[in-house]
């Protein structure tokens, strides 16, 4: 998948949300992987040694890099 197309696919998700730098970094990583491989499996987010695991060792829900800021 083209990187621009992957980025556009996530624009609707992030629109109107105030995300932290870490959250944006995590989403950028997802976009990069989808652009390179064409897909992202759920297991990729939890795989030890993956860039996702390095950023959120407990998975995207602990703490969730996708949760919007409440401040």
């Amino acid at each position: 998948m083209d990187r621009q197309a992957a980025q556009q696919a996530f624009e609707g998700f992030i629109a109107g949300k105030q995300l932290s730098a870490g959250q944006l970094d995590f989403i950028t990583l997802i976009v990069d992987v989808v652009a390179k491989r064409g897909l992202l499996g759920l297991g990729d987010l939890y795989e030890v040694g993956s860039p996702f695991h390095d950023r959120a060792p407990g998975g995207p829900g602990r703490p969730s890099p996708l949760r919007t800021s409440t401040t």
Side-chain angles (χ1 to χ4, degrees):
M1 173 181 274
D2 175 80
R3 189 184 194 297
Q4 184 177 8
Q7 181 69 40
Q8 288 176 343
F10 277 91
E11 285 178 0
F13 174 76
I14 63 175
K17 294 183 173 95
Q18 293 189 7
L19 303 175
S20 70
Q23 291 168 322
L24 290 172
D25 179 57
F26 198 86
I27 291 171
T28 298
L29 178 59
I30 291 173
V31 169
D32 290 343
V33 169
V34 170
K36 181 178 179 180
R37 296 184 358 201
L39 59 91
L40 176 71
L42 181 60
D44 295 331
L45 300 173
Y46 298 91
E47 184 178 335
V48 175
S50 77
F52 299 106
H53 187 266
D54 292 344
R55 287 171 175 80
R62 293 185 185 100
S64 176
L66 304 179
R67 190 171 296 143
T68 57
S69 174
T70 58
T71 57

